[in-house]
Amino acid sequence: MFGGSVNYERLILSEESCWTGGPQEYASYLGGNVPKDQASQKQEALARMQQALAEKRILKPTMPYVKDVMGDEEGFGRQVEFGEIVVEEVNLRESVRDYRRELDLEKGIARVSYSVGKTLFSRQLCSYPDAVCILRMQSSAPRSINIRVSLSTPHTTTAEYSNIHNRLGFKSHLDSNNLAIEAQVAVKTEGATGISLATSPQQIVLMGFDTVTLYYTFGTGWSANAFPEFANMDPHERLTGVLDKAVTGWYGDLVNKHLSDYGGLFSRFRLEFGVDQDDKGTSVGKNILTTDQLVVKNHRGTLPASEESYLETLLVQYSRYLLITSSRPGSLPLTGNGVWASNDKIASTLS
């Protein structure tokens, strides 16, 4: 996930196996099952939740009976936030125009663009096939990319940071089960006159470049091949190999592989509601609004039929995008708990 503004991008790192609890730490681990002496309390709490849902009441995590049915460290555990990358402009921009954030559902690429005077700035994020994420920042004017890139993790008790030759990294362990986690960020620059400075073990400052591309990958020591045992293998060599291959490759090749992989899945489905459609099966109205405007008008009940059909189609295709980008053959089962972590923090950033 990413959220931010003109001067700030925050990339939230989420990894499916970054999970607390498990047998290595707790002798009483029951594979996620409830101890017999707690069964009646859990069953009662579940019944209350079911009743609340039937009555269409709002459920909150702070409610006692909701807490009673949630996982805990000594049982199944839960997915937790992995870390984050922050990109900040060194020279804050106050006057911009044409600021736009968008997600291209058909290509699986997120973009940010804006103009300062006659200079156009753009950011693009896309890749599953190469097991690496990419953030590319460009400017239409030479030597105008001036940014700070920092990497951090909330698992600070055991965190060790590194910053060598424009590559940031951290290694850490989860407190509950000692699971190894690691992230690496390689910074690739274009523009011979720019300079890069390692200002701390967690931060790189890049000044006067034409284009800056971040390649980042991350993972844990958990191994699916070891199931049902709880293996905890050092992911360092695997992640380093992934990043080395990505950085030495051509950016265009990485994007093309992403487009082929994602498009092969997304393009298999077409949805029509019997209203005006474009050639890709997306409903269109005469005056299509931005997504946030569509949602507001829909809540007010003032959305014309064509735009309402477009919004419904958009939601279906957005849900397909989320599933494609979070679950593939051989991965862990998709869970909504913690996959898109720190939504509240991103929302506060955007506001």
Side-chain angles (χ1 to χ4, degrees), residues 3-24:
S5 60
V6 172
N7 298 305
Y8 184 91
E9 291 292 350
R10 186 165 182 240
L11 312 177
I12 304 298
L13 311 183
S14 180
E15 211 280 345
E16 62 182 6
S17 64
C18 189
W19 203 278
T20 63
Q24 193 169 26

Side-chain angles (χ1 to χ4, degrees), residues 87-346:
V87 179
E88 301 172 276
E89 294 284 350
V90 173
N91 302 315
L92 300 184
R93 310 185 192 283
E94 297 181 358
S95 178
V96 302
R97 58 182 174 82
D98 301 329
Y99 182 81
R100 178 181 177 88
R101 302 179 72 89
E102 63 178 330
L103 170 63
D104 188 329
L105 292 178
E106 293 177 3
K107 295 182 178 180
I109 294 179
R111 300 185 186 90
V112 177
S113 62
Y114 60 91
S115 296
V116 178
K118 296 182 179 181
T119 303
L120 173 65
F121 293 88
S122 63
R123 304 165 188 161
Q124 178 169 295
L125 298 97
C126 52
S127 155
Y128 172 78
D130 295 283
V132 67
C133 303
I134 306 169
L135 169 60
R136 185 171 176 86
M137 292 158 283
Q138 295 177 287
S139 171
S140 62
R143 302 185 300 278
S144 55
I145 300 291
N146 303 289
I147 56 174
R148 287 185 293 266
V149 179
S150 58
L151 174 68
S152 63
T153 178
H155 308 287
T156 56
T157 304
T158 57
E160 297 179 3
Y161 290 94
S162 60
N163 187 348
I164 303 173
H165 302 308
N166 275 12
R167 183 174 293 197
L168 293 167
F170 71 69
K171 295 181 178 181
S172 189
H173 294 83
L174 302 189
D175 291 336
S176 70
N177 55 19
N178 204 40
L179 180 67
I181 66 171
E182 181 175 348
Q184 296 186 26
V185 183
V187 180
K188 193 171 182 178
T189 59
E190 298 176 27
T193 59
I195 59 171
S196 58
L197 303 171
T199 55
S200 77
Q202 295 178 243
Q203 188 177 89
I204 298 174
V205 175
L206 304 122
M207 302 290 292
F209 289 99
D210 305 339
T211 299
V212 175
T213 307
L214 305 186
Y215 299 86
Y216 55 103
T217 189
F218 46 100
T220 75
W222 181 82
S223 173
N225 296 328
F227 182 82
E229 300 298 324
F230 180 77
N232 191 7
M233 305 173 65
D234 188 347
H236 180 73
E237 289 189 10
R238 171 171 57 88
L239 298 177
T240 300
V242 165
L243 208 57
D244 287 345
K245 182 180 178 181
V247 172
T248 55
W250 184 52
Y251 170 77
D253 285 340
L254 296 175
V255 174
N256 288 336
K257 281 193 285 184
H258 160 76
L259 293 175
S260 176
D261 167 73
Y262 176 85
L265 296 171
F266 190 84
S267 63
R268 296 189 302 188
F269 176 86
R270 177 185 175 101
L271 182 62
E272 296 183 11
F273 283 124
V275 297
D276 293 338
Q277 312 241 346
D278 63 16
D279 59 357
K280 296 185 176 66
T282 302
S283 307
V284 294
K286 294 182 179 179
N287 298 298
I288 291 298
L289 306 172
T290 61
T291 304
D292 56 340
Q293 292 170 334
L294 286 169
V295 171
V296 170
K297 294 193 72 172
N298 185 60
H299 286 167
R300 293 174 179 171
T302 59
L303 203 59
S306 57
E307 276 84 356
E308 185 175 0
S309 296
Y310 170 79
L311 182 59
E312 291 169 348
T313 303
L314 189 66
L315 288 171
V316 171
Q317 297 290 42
Y318 180 56
S319 68
R320 297 183 63 242
Y321 160 82
L322 293 177
L323 186 60
I324 291 171
T325 55
S326 60
S327 181
R328 294 293 185 95
S331 69
L332 287 169
L334 174 62
T335 169
N337 178 30
V339 177
W340 299 283
S342 297
N343 292 344
D344 57 330
K345 297 176 183 177
I346 288 179

